[in-house]
Amino acid sequence: MDGPALRAPRQPRTAILRDPRSKCRLVVKEHLVELVMQALLDVSRKQHVELPQTPEFAIDRTRQREHGDFATNAALVLCKQLGMKPRDLAQAIVDHLPPSRHVEKLAIAGPGFINFTLTPSCLLDTLDQVLERGAGYGHAPVDENEHITLEYVSANPTGPLHVGHGRGAAFGASLSNILEASGLKVQREYYVNDYGRQMDILATSVWLRYLELTGNPVRFPDNGYKGDYVVEVAHALQQAHGDRFRQDPLAVCADLPADESQGGDKEAHVDGLINRARQLLGPGGFDLIYKLALERLLDAIREELLAFNVRYDNWFSERSLNESGAVNRAIERLTRLGHMYEEKGAMWFRATTFGDEKDRVVIRENGQTTYFASDIAYLLNKFERGFTRAVYVLGADHHGYIARLKAAASGLGLNPANVEIVLVQFAKLYKDGKEVSMGKREGNFVTLKDLRTEVGTDAARFFYVMRSHEQHLDFDLELAKSQSKDNPVYYVQYAHARIASVFHKLAEQGQTHDRAAGEAARAQLDNAHELDLMNLLQRFPETIEKAGELRAPHLVANYLRELAAALHGYYDGAQVKILVDDDDLRNARLNLLLAVKQVLANGLKLIGVSAPEKMERQEA
RNA sequence: GGGUCCGUAGCUCAGUUGGAUAGAGCACCUGGCUUCGAACCAGGUGGUCGGGGGUUCGAGUCCCUCCGGGCCCGCCA
């Protein structure tokens, strides 16, 4: 397996960490890495030992305040290679560390950690940086070398989106924003399954409902789409075309294989109905209904995603792959490379060559290509369009697809490491402590629209990405709906609104905020709460980068809760007032608040949640 | 049966790619609004990190095994 392919390279991408507009010139962590590297080179020269090109030590944020801001395990990891005791090596590294105006204190602790405490000015620089860059703070310069296509949701247009799709939508949209912020070029894509049997069943279902509306009811198949939306499309069909598609019910039903509930086979029955529809309506008539259904449902999906603050750069048609010959070309390529064979009248892709557990049918015995054939063509198409990496956000039930898709990449001569599948676990809805069931064909599933209108886009988006995507999500409807302190969305938004209200108050008092005066007096920001807040602000870019590398938007949500908590703690618990009489101090504190507000807004935007200036409580 | 994801406080979950004393929120207990928004804050109670073995300076994190749960295993899409 090529598991590490999902992981970003171990060494940080310096191009992304490097921030040209930073007053620190380098993001702190990168700076510290360079200092330690320098010291290590000196020490190893003295010991006459060759160091590896990229020694595997880590520099990380510390967990506890007493350990400073950053710590490195370099001495622990490299002591054997350098033939020294860990604490001796730590001391040697400290002795050889080049001086830095950003490091205030160094300490050796525990078994041999080296702790770094940053100078206050380094934190204060962060503050200026946030105000300087505004909405751009936290965003890394664009890396021109990578161009990602990120596909998410891609639900069949055979019905409205349900709450399961909602998580994929929230996750994919947030992740693409985060990746973009961390400097990668990202194209958001929706793969439209506008081809194949499921859509045929939908078109047939619409036609049967239409027949009912025109007073010619035909028994509805077990395997048909039963939702009310099908009737709505049928209505639209009737309005646009009157009774043009009316047929004698007896002719429709004549000689069909028995349906499941009639003791037969539901698949055979529905296939019979599709063929009957084609035959009675003529190809033009059937296609017209098919297209009408597709357009209506796809429009509804587009509209819903837009309302959910989820956008796309490209809607890619599966049909176009078939009609342009891309599917055939992909199959030919696999054939030419010797990865196809014939068996039992079908054409198979030898996926087992590349680690899949079984070979896969690409062209069926009846000559039709499979869904997988389209997937292969689509994969090839993505790389032909120049993307360097294809990311698929899929539901956890698709995990069997990983090996298949990667095998296809290998078979096509592509690097499977550039094909990445991120699985999102299921979400369960809970209402009053009970699970809300979501049967699909039965038509009683909860749509994303239901959820959105009930709890609102902000709460839904936040709740969906609040947990790790690897974790099953228990979505508590009551909590998401509640306008109370228990609701984490309001907690974060409130912090933003609270700051806004301080500025309103300032205006009410007839005063204005003088940023330059605040910057000049910034050294007065020295209480523990203020330092904590600045420390958090400094960690925002690191959080984005990490959330991007780990494909983990929940880290951003967690970060925002932390920042909001620090703000509330400062506001309520620090025994300080912002709007003090002292002009310098007041402006310095206002600078800090403004920076916190900016970062809250930037972070919320990444996960598609609004940052309100005012919280209006609504009566339930 | 094979594959895969998960199991951390009463509940819902974090845990910085193996680091130092495992953290939040809810629930429960105590306290704080004549103040820039109390949708808030301060403090307290609560843990054999599913069990067992292994790897090493160090394991909630990596490996093995067992237990429990979700999902997948089609010439469907």
Side-chain angles (χ1 to χ4, degrees):
Chain A
M1 274 301 287
D2 45 1
L6 292 178
R7 292 260 159 99
R10 180 69 185 83
Q11 283 300 313
R13 295 184 301 256
T14 51
I16 283 166
L17 283 173
R18 218 174 284 269
D19 183 344
R21 276 163 288 191
S22 158
K23 283 188 185 166
C24 282
R25 204 176 62 81
L26 294 178
V27 168
V28 199
K29 181 175 167 178
E30 180 75 350
H31 175 63
L32 297 178
V33 169
E34 285 183 7
L35 294 181
V36 173
M37 275 301 293
Q38 273 303 320
L40 279 172
L41 286 173
D42 285 351
V43 174
S44 64
R45 208 168 297 132
K46 265 191 193 158
Q47 295 290 113
H48 305 289
V49 178
E50 190 84 6
L51 264 189
Q53 279 282 321
T54 52
E56 287 276 318
F57 64 88
I59 292 191
D60 288 307
R61 289 279 174 184
T62 55
R63 241 183 262 250
Q64 277 147 313
R65 256 261 169 258
E66 311 88 73
H67 297 145
D69 294 298
F70 284 89
T72 181
N73 61 359
L76 292 162
V77 178
L78 299 168
C79 57
K80 275 189 187 162
Q81 286 179 57
L82 291 169
M84 298 174 79
K85 287 186 197 161
R87 284 195 69 112
D88 292 346
L89 176 54
Q91 188 60 54
I93 292 172
V94 167
D95 290 344
H96 288 85
L97 216 56
S100 163
R101 65 186 184 91
H102 299 303
V103 178
E104 180 170 75
K105 206 176 97 193
L106 287 163
I108 298 170
F113 291 105
I114 302 170
N115 295 333
F116 300 83
T117 304
L118 301 175
T119 57
S121 77
C122 187
L123 280 180
L124 292 164
D125 281 348
T126 305
L127 195 54
D128 297 344
Q129 225 185 101
V130 177
L131 297 177
E132 198 65 37
R133 299 199 48 195
Y137 178 72
H139 292 236
V142 176
D143 177 357
E144 294 293 335
N145 295 320
E146 228 186 320
H147 198 174
I148 295 179
T149 172
L150 196 145
E151 180 196 335
Y152 55 104
V153 184
S154 295
N156 284 351
T158 51
L161 298 175
H162 57 72
V163 292
H165 298 126
R167 190 174 191 191
F171 178 86
S174 302
L175 179 59
S176 55
N177 292 342
I178 289 164
L179 289 173
E180 211 163 59
S182 61
L184 301 167
K185 291 200 285 182
V186 180
Q187 196 222 214
R188 301 152 173 86
E189 196 151 299
Y190 191 114
Y191 182 56
V192 182
N193 299 111
D194 53 0
Y195 186 82
R197 184 158 167 273
Q198 290 306 318
M199 283 302 297
D200 289 339
I201 296 176
L202 176 74
T204 304
S205 301
V206 167
W207 181 54
L208 294 175
R209 291 302 189 206
Y210 163 90
L211 289 178
E212 284 172 20
L213 293 174
T214 57
N216 301 273
V218 175
R219 183 186 166 282
F220 202 81
D222 296 339
N223 214 14
Y225 286 97
K226 299 189 181 100
D228 294 339
Y229 60 90
V230 177
V231 180
E232 284 167 29
V233 178
H235 253 297
L237 180 66
Q238 188 185 21
Q239 294 216 318
H241 297 280
D243 58 3
R244 178 179 154 194
F245 300 111
R246 207 162 67 186
Q247 293 288 335
D248 178 7
L250 290 176
V252 175
C253 296
D255 303 324
L256 284 180
D259 205 347
E260 191 171 68
S261 55
Q262 301 168 320
D265 177 357
K266 63 179 180 183
E267 306 292 346
H269 177 77
V270 85
D271 280 338
L273 260 175
I274 292 169
N275 288 334
R276 181 61 44 81
R278 279 222 167 83
Q279 168 200 335
L280 292 174
L281 296 167
F286 188 82
D287 286 352
L288 190 147
I289 296 173
Y290 184 109
K291 276 187 186 141
L292 181 82
L294 174 66
E295 270 167 31
R296 306 269 308 192
L297 290 178
L298 204 53
D299 279 351
I301 288 172
R302 280 202 183 97
E303 218 171 278
E304 179 52 35
L305 288 171
L306 208 62
F308 200 51
N309 215 350
V310 172
R311 62 184 187 83
Y312 286 90
D313 302 304
N314 195 25
W315 295 73
F316 193 96
S317 155
E318 178 186 1
R319 178 171 289 273
S320 74
L321 285 172
N322 287 273
E323 292 178 349
S324 70
V327 173
N328 289 334
R329 279 206 311 280
I331 295 171
E332 277 161 22
R333 181 155 166 171
L334 289 178
T335 308
R336 193 171 67 243
L337 295 170
H339 303 311
M340 297 288 296
Y341 65 93
E342 187 178 348
E343 193 177 295
K344 290 184 271 184
M347 293 301 298
W348 299 67
F349 167 55
R350 206 184 305 276
T352 47
T353 310
F354 305 105
D356 196 2
E357 56 187 23
K358 50 181 85 164
D359 292 342
R360 308 289 174 178
V361 171
V362 172
I363 305 175
R364 283 183 269 174
E365 195 179 359
N366 65 10
Q368 285 182 321
T369 55
T370 59
Y371 186 84
F372 182 49
S374 299
D375 280 349
I376 297 170
Y378 186 33
L379 179 64
L380 180 59
N381 172 279
K382 286 181 177 180
F383 287 94
E384 281 176 347
R385 277 186 280 154
F387 294 109
T388 55
R389 171 169 289 262
V391 178
Y392 294 74
V393 174
L394 301 175
D397 53 333
H398 285 74
H399 75 253
Y401 229 69
I402 299 178
R404 205 177 308 182
L405 214 52
K406 292 213 166 224
S410 301
L412 289 165
L414 304 167
N415 183 356
N418 295 330
V419 177
E420 181 178 328
I421 292 112
V422 184
L423 296 179
V424 178
Q425 298 292 322
F426 290 140
K428 279 187 197 168
L429 284 188
Y430 285 86
K431 195 166 196 169
D432 305 320
K434 277 182 297 189
E435 190 180 341
V436 181
S437 75
M438 292 180 279
K440 199 179 172 188
R441 285 282 164 85
E442 290 71 33
N444 68 343
F445 55 85
V446 182
T447 65
L448 178 56
K449 188 173 185 173
D450 292 341
L451 175 68
R452 181 175 56 76
T453 45
E454 184 144 349
V455 310
T457 294
D458 285 343
R461 288 288 304 258
F462 197 94
F463 270 64
Y464 271 131
V465 297
M466 186 162 73
R467 306 299 185 204
S468 159
H469 67 279
E470 290 171 341
Q471 196 72 238
H472 295 225
L473 176 71
D474 288 336
F475 196 122
D476 184 337
L477 281 170
E478 305 302 314
L479 181 59
K481 235 176 22 173
S482 74
Q483 299 178 16
S484 78
K485 59 177 185 157
D486 304 347
N487 193 330
V489 192
Y490 289 109
Y491 186 78
V492 176
Q493 289 183 319
Y494 179 47
H496 186 269
R498 232 180 175 183
I499 295 171
S501 89
V502 173
F503 281 87
H504 290 137
K505 184 76 182 179
L506 181 76
E508 262 175 44
Q509 295 178 355
Q511 290 174 302
T512 52
H513 172 213
D514 183 341
R515 206 181 111 188
E519 271 182 40
R522 62 185 204 169
Q524 290 188 52
L525 299 173
D526 59 0
N527 82 49
H529 289 268
E530 288 164 344
L531 296 175
D532 272 349
L533 279 169
M534 288 186 274
N535 179 274
L536 276 163
L537 296 180
Q538 193 172 66
R539 278 161 49 193
F540 183 57
E542 298 164 26
T543 302
I544 291 178
E545 192 194 348
K546 194 170 154 203
E549 283 182 354
L550 298 179
R551 282 64 167 126
H554 76 280
L555 296 180
V556 173
N558 286 349
Y559 170 85
L560 288 170
R561 291 171 79 166
E562 219 180 313
L563 181 57
L567 185 277
H568 290 311
Y570 176 49
Y571 192 95
D572 273 333
Q575 311 284 335
V576 301
K577 214 171 137 92
I578 311 299
L579 301 179
V580 289
D581 292 333
D582 182 320
D583 289 343
D584 289 340
L585 184 58
R586 183 181 64 245
N587 282 308
R589 286 184 175 157
L590 285 171
N591 277 10
L592 176 60
L593 282 204
L594 197 59
V596 172
K597 180 169 180 265
Q598 182 72 62
V599 170
L600 286 170
N602 292 4
L604 285 168
K605 183 158 195 211
L606 291 175
I607 57 173
V609 179
S610 71
E613 294 286 310
K614 216 182 258 184
M615 305 286 283
E616 315 259 0
R617 177 166 240 145
Q618 288 161 13
E619 284 315 310

